[in-house]
Amino acid sequence: MTRPQKTIRTPIEFSGVGLHSGVTVKGRMLPAPQDTGVEFVRTDLPDASPIPARIAYRSAMDRRTRLEKGSARVDTVEHLLSVCNGLGLDNLRVELDGGDACLRANVAFRPRPGRHRHLPRTLARFLAGAA
């Protein structure tokens, strides 16, 4: 028996400075229909089609994972994809107005000295909103 697919219930907005680019990026995570998978959309590029988080769209890059489709590309997607996997999220649309998906203000898991790893508020909202 397969488990039911999951997405989030409500949109989540976030912003921060790109881990590699140093550029401020704003984004939204939106619920996605069943069998969509995780997809990234560059809202700053006119007519950019969604980039599915699939190995076919990976392009070689040092020290990060880049997904690329046509002229649109998104770097450092592995952090967000790890969170989706850990939370059991199968379907998610991630809209970004820049090319870096890992933001310094929104790093997936950031260890605190002498403490267990914690979930930033955005991920706590993920947990509360997972369908």
Side-chain angles (χ1 to χ4, degrees), residues 66-81:
R66 172 178 281 174
L67 295 176
E68 190 168 10
K69 185 177 179 185
S71 63
R73 61 181 171 222
V74 180
D75 286 332
T76 326
V77 297
E78 66 274 16
H79 296 259
L80 181 59
L81 293 175

